[in-house]
Amino acid sequence: MRGINLSSRMQFFIIVIFLWGATMLLSLTNLNSGSNSKHLMENDLRRLNRAISFVNMLESNNNHVESILREHLEDGNMDQNDKKELAQKIESKIRSLAGTSSQSAPSSEYQNLLRRIYSNTEEMYNFVNAEMTNIRNKAKTTTPELTGTIDEALKLLREHKGSLLQDIDELRQSDGHEKWRQMEFRNLSDLIQKRLHSLQNPKDCANARKIVCRLNKGCGYGCQLHHVVYCFIMAYATERTLILKSKGWRYHKAGWEDIFQPVSETCVDADGKTHANWPGKASTQVLTLPIIDSLHPRPEYLPLAIPADLAPRLTRIHGDPFVWWVGQFLKYLLRPQSSTQKMLDAGMKNLGFKNPIVGVHIRRTDKVGTEAAFHSLDEYMTAVAEFYDQLEMREVVDKRRVYIASDDYKVIEEARSKYPQYEIIGDPNVARMAAVSSRYTDFSLNGIILDTHLLSLTDYLVCTFSSQVCRVAYEIMQTFHLEDATSKFKSLDDIYYYGGQNGHNRRAVMDHQPRNNREIHVQKNDLIGIAGNHWNGFSKGKNIRTSQVGLFPSFKVVDKVEVADFPTYKHVT
């Protein structure tokens, strides 16, 4: 290449090629030399072989690029059109080197089909497992000799399910779209965070339209977080800066800003020329919101709606777009003050928290018997075991770790006693302070913030979705993954819901003829108002067309994503 004078643009293209190649090489050869595990060594050897193959490919493609340059530049008599043509050729080669197919966007139909195969596999397992368990329970008294055979069949059934789910996961990772998915998650999150920052920091606070939210809802920590998120969604939907009034907060009298960063850097007062309670008028400068349960009229953009301008992108990458949408508001709201961050870091270090780990949230004291049913520790640990069984199909697990958050300290001690094969992580002192009698103290607040944070950082969440803390952790979890994390949970009771939400409907994709008086008739395209999943292959709901209420097979419906017109914030790039 000596003696050839390249333009700055051509030099840039060549540099891009080598930088990209070096980056890929580093990522492929990032070997884990600290492990003596035979399995890990085999993985490292496979990665090294891929790296060597990549180097050979890179060398071949580099030679091709060099031949293009030699062919067109050696005579030094190129006009502008020739240079443009050469630049296009090099750009084309760079795209082929970067693997354009790996950056391409999958179709929405393909993404939905992948998710449906996954959910149908789960629902088929739920159905067969429930039916075989019923047969086993009956056989205990009638033909006890069959119970052993059924137990073996159930064990094989779990392995079948794990194998199928693993195949689906590998299909997703090898379909050539994974880099695009990760980039899309990152880009969408960045866009929403920029919109929220712009909304919360108007250029002229004195004349900005505002919406006031008082942190005075009489409920627990998770419920109060959801109250603030609801206020923030209302602010986003009406293009009003959120003013959070939190002095005297029952969890911390000094207010929200003493624990988390202020929701605005520049606009923190509720001053304005005109004031009114919701709904007021469009011209009213300052509106005050009631709690979501008392909101009238109820706009279409309340939960579970997502913005129409983002819906095509969100529904393509995520199986439950609203959960991810809520997670973005929590990501903005829960930016910790330095003292809170130090508390979180110290908590993680002291507990020895590290991945892989399953988060288990067990609520006991205040809701069991009223809002939620009792679930034994064994039920939670069965779900934990299933997760680790599946994880070990694809990687070596050095230790089965479980992080337990509870308002009953005895649960942590029980788990350590009954499950010595697991590393049980949890702080009984935090659990003691989570009891109703001592809940509203600074120590208790730090404990629930730490619990929620660590639960959201786990690889899998086992809990009851009747608990708002669990749902908050699940929502925050979505922000920590550059992938669809909707399958990273097991709820022992409810499906996901948002307190005070508008209707949650599912659309039938198949007819269903009821087999008994507990089931309802369903026609394709019927809307079903979902009431819950029984985790046995059936869900309960109300057919909007016939007003029938009852059971129907869960696999015969899909979620109807609610979309509403929100502002598009065109001034935010």
Side-chain angles (χ1 to χ4, degrees):
M1 300 293 290
R2 292 179 180 174
I4 301 176
N5 294 319
L6 301 177
S7 71
S8 59
R9 186 179 182 188
M10 296 169 190
Q11 291 173 350
F12 169 76
F13 289 143
I14 295 175
I15 291 171
V16 168
I17 293 171
F18 282 104
L19 286 178
W20 180 84
T23 302
M24 289 297 295
L25 180 58
L26 284 172
S27 67
L28 286 168
T29 57
N30 182 22
L31 302 179
N32 184 358
S33 59
S35 172
N36 293 321
S37 165
K38 180 180 178 181
H39 183 82
L40 289 176
M41 289 176 65
E42 290 174 352
N43 281 343
D44 289 345
L45 286 173
R46 284 195 293 269
R47 292 169 68 188
L48 181 58
N49 286 330
R50 289 201 302 270
I52 293 171
S53 299
F54 178 79
V55 170
N56 292 333
M57 181 273 288
L58 185 62
E59 182 180 5
S60 173
N61 281 291
N62 184 60
N63 291 336
H64 184 70
V65 173
E66 185 176 330
S67 68
I68 294 175
L69 289 171
R70 286 186 181 279
E71 176 184 348
H72 289 274
L73 294 178
E74 281 183 342
D75 58 7
N77 295 320
M78 293 181 66
D79 59 23
Q80 290 300 317
N81 289 333
D82 291 334
K83 290 179 180 179
K84 182 178 180 181
E85 181 182 352
L86 175 60
Q88 290 173 343
K89 285 186 177 181
I90 296 176
E91 286 181 276
S92 176
K93 193 59 187 177
I94 289 173
R95 284 195 296 271
S96 68
L97 277 169
T100 302
S101 62
S102 68
Q103 301 291 340
S104 61
S107 68
S108 295
E109 292 77 12
Y110 172 78
Q111 291 281 94
N112 289 334
L113 183 59
L114 266 185
R115 290 191 286 262
R116 180 157 171 76
I117 294 171
Y118 190 99
S119 65
N120 279 357
T121 300
E122 288 277 16
E123 292 297 346
M124 179 177 286
Y125 168 77
N126 290 341
F127 173 72
V128 177
N129 181 67
E131 293 294 308
M132 291 178 65
T133 300
N134 287 337
I135 294 172
R136 182 188 182 282
N137 292 336
K138 292 177 182 177
K140 282 183 180 180
T141 55
T142 57
T143 50
E145 64 275 10
L146 286 179
T147 57
T149 302
I150 296 173
D151 285 340
E152 288 299 316
L154 285 169
K155 180 180 178 181
L156 190 59
L157 174 66
R158 286 192 293 271
E159 293 178 0
H160 268 298
K161 182 195 77 165
S163 177
L164 280 170
L165 295 182
Q166 176 66 13
D167 290 343
I168 296 168
D169 188 56
E170 290 184 359
L171 173 63
R172 176 184 58 79
Q173 293 185 37
S174 61
D175 62 11
H177 303 302
E178 197 63 6
K179 290 182 181 178
W180 175 86
R181 293 186 186 100
Q182 294 172 3
M183 184 179 296
E184 184 71 344
F185 272 114
R186 186 181 292 110
N187 290 344
L188 269 173
S189 179
D190 288 347
L191 174 61
I192 293 171
Q193 295 303 308
K194 288 178 181 177
R195 287 183 178 184
L196 295 179
H197 184 270
S198 173
L199 176 69
Q200 288 304 108
N201 294 279
K203 294 180 180 179
D204 182 5
C205 180
N207 293 304
R209 298 197 312 155
K210 304 170 186 178
I211 202 161
V212 177
C213 178
R214 290 189 168 87
L215 192 52
N216 60 355
K217 192 171 184 179
C219 56
Y221 178 76
C223 169
Q224 291 186 13
L225 284 187
H226 279 141
H227 172 60
V228 179
V229 170
Y230 138 73
C231 292
F232 211 171
I233 290 174
M234 293 290 288
Y236 182 98
T238 58
E239 285 191 280
R240 292 174 176 271
T241 299
L242 174 66
I243 306 297
L244 183 60
K245 295 290 187 180
S246 65
K247 296 298 181 183
W249 183 24
R250 67 192 304 190
Y251 273 96
H252 189 73
K253 299 301 182 184
W256 178 274
E257 295 78 10
D258 203 47
I259 304 295
F260 303 107
Q261 293 183 34
V263 296
S264 175
E265 300 166 10
T266 62
C267 195
V268 295
D269 63 69
D271 295 343
K273 299 178 180 65
T274 54
H275 295 253
N277 292 324
W278 174 266
K281 299 178 180 178
S283 59
T284 305
Q285 186 179 355
V286 183
L287 289 181
T288 298
L289 283 175
I291 62 174
I292 193 171
D293 314 82
S294 304
L295 188 73
H296 296 288
R298 295 177 62 85
E300 64 174 358
Y301 45 74
L302 282 179
L304 302 163
I306 61 172
D309 67 310
L310 300 176
R313 297 173 69 181
L314 274 177
T315 54
R316 181 180 294 192
I317 63 173
H318 204 273
D320 197 340
F322 177 77
V323 176
W324 189 89
W325 172 239
V326 170
Q328 293 303 308
F329 286 91
L330 287 168
K331 179 178 180 178
Y332 188 94
L333 287 167
L334 299 181
R335 295 164 298 152
Q337 292 284 15
S338 58
S339 58
T340 305
Q341 186 62 58
K342 288 178 182 177
M343 179 273 294
L344 294 174
D345 294 341
M348 291 183 67
K349 182 179 180 181
N350 295 336
L351 289 168
F353 185 96
K354 61 179 180 178
N355 301 83
I357 190 168
V358 174
V360 175
H361 179 253
I362 303 176
R363 184 172 63 176
R364 283 279 189 265
T365 58
D366 61 331
K367 303 291 183 176
V368 172
T370 55
E371 294 184 21
F374 177 88
H375 293 276
S376 68
L377 175 63
D378 293 341
E379 291 180 73
Y380 291 91
M381 294 305 292
T382 296
V384 172
E386 289 182 0
F387 168 80
Y388 274 117
D389 287 344
Q390 185 164 336
L391 181 64
E392 288 173 347
M393 287 185 177
R394 63 177 184 268
E395 64 182 72
V396 172
V397 176
D398 63 330
K399 190 71 176 178
R400 291 190 169 199
R401 299 181 191 87
V402 180
Y403 177 72
I404 295 183
S406 180
D407 53 5
D408 181 2
Y409 71 93
K410 295 178 182 178
V411 169
I412 299 174
E413 297 173 353
E414 179 187 358
R416 288 172 176 162
S417 174
K418 292 182 67 174
Y419 296 94
Q421 68 272 35
Y422 290 88
E423 182 180 336
I424 304 298
I425 297 171
D427 189 341
N429 291 324
V430 171
R432 285 188 179 93
M433 296 301 291
V436 177
S437 59
S438 54
R439 180 167 295 174
Y440 303 108
T441 64
D442 285 347
F443 183 85
S444 177
L445 176 60
N446 283 342
I448 192 65
I449 291 173
L450 179 63
D451 275 346
T452 307
H453 179 66
L454 295 187
L455 287 170
S456 68
L457 290 175
T458 59
D459 300 276
Y460 192 70
L461 188 57
V462 181
C463 60
T464 51
F465 269 170
S466 58
S467 165
Q468 300 226 43
V469 168
C470 177
R471 299 202 304 277
V472 166
Y474 177 60
E475 292 156 355
I476 300 171
M477 176 186 276
Q478 310 305 311
T479 71
F480 289 123
H481 294 272
L482 294 178
E483 62 175 322
D484 184 350
T486 49
S487 62
K488 296 184 181 296
F489 82 95
K490 171 67 176 179
S491 171
L492 301 184
D493 56 12
D494 287 335
I495 60 173
Y496 175 85
Y497 66 94
Y498 195 95
Q501 68 187 28
N502 286 336
H504 182 181
N505 295 322
R506 289 182 175 169
R507 180 176 59 83
V509 294
M510 299 174 65
D511 294 347
H512 179 66
Q513 297 293 334
R515 304 171 304 165
N516 51 56
N517 59 9
R518 293 179 298 130
E519 298 178 12
I520 60 175
H521 182 271
V522 175
Q523 290 182 2
K524 185 177 180 180
N525 292 322
D526 278 351
L527 286 183
I528 312 294
I530 189 72
N533 191 322
H534 288 193
W535 311 118
N536 61 357
F538 286 85
S539 293
K540 184 178 181 180
K542 177 180 179 180
N543 189 323
I544 305 301
R545 178 177 58 85
T546 65
S547 296
Q548 275 188 303
V549 178
L551 302 176
F552 57 91
S554 303
F555 76 94
K556 292 190 175 184
V557 299
V558 295
D559 251 337
K560 179 181 181 292
V561 178
E562 301 297 334
V563 176
D565 288 327
F566 284 74
T568 57
Y569 291 88
K570 292 182 179 179
H571 62 283
V572 179
T573 304

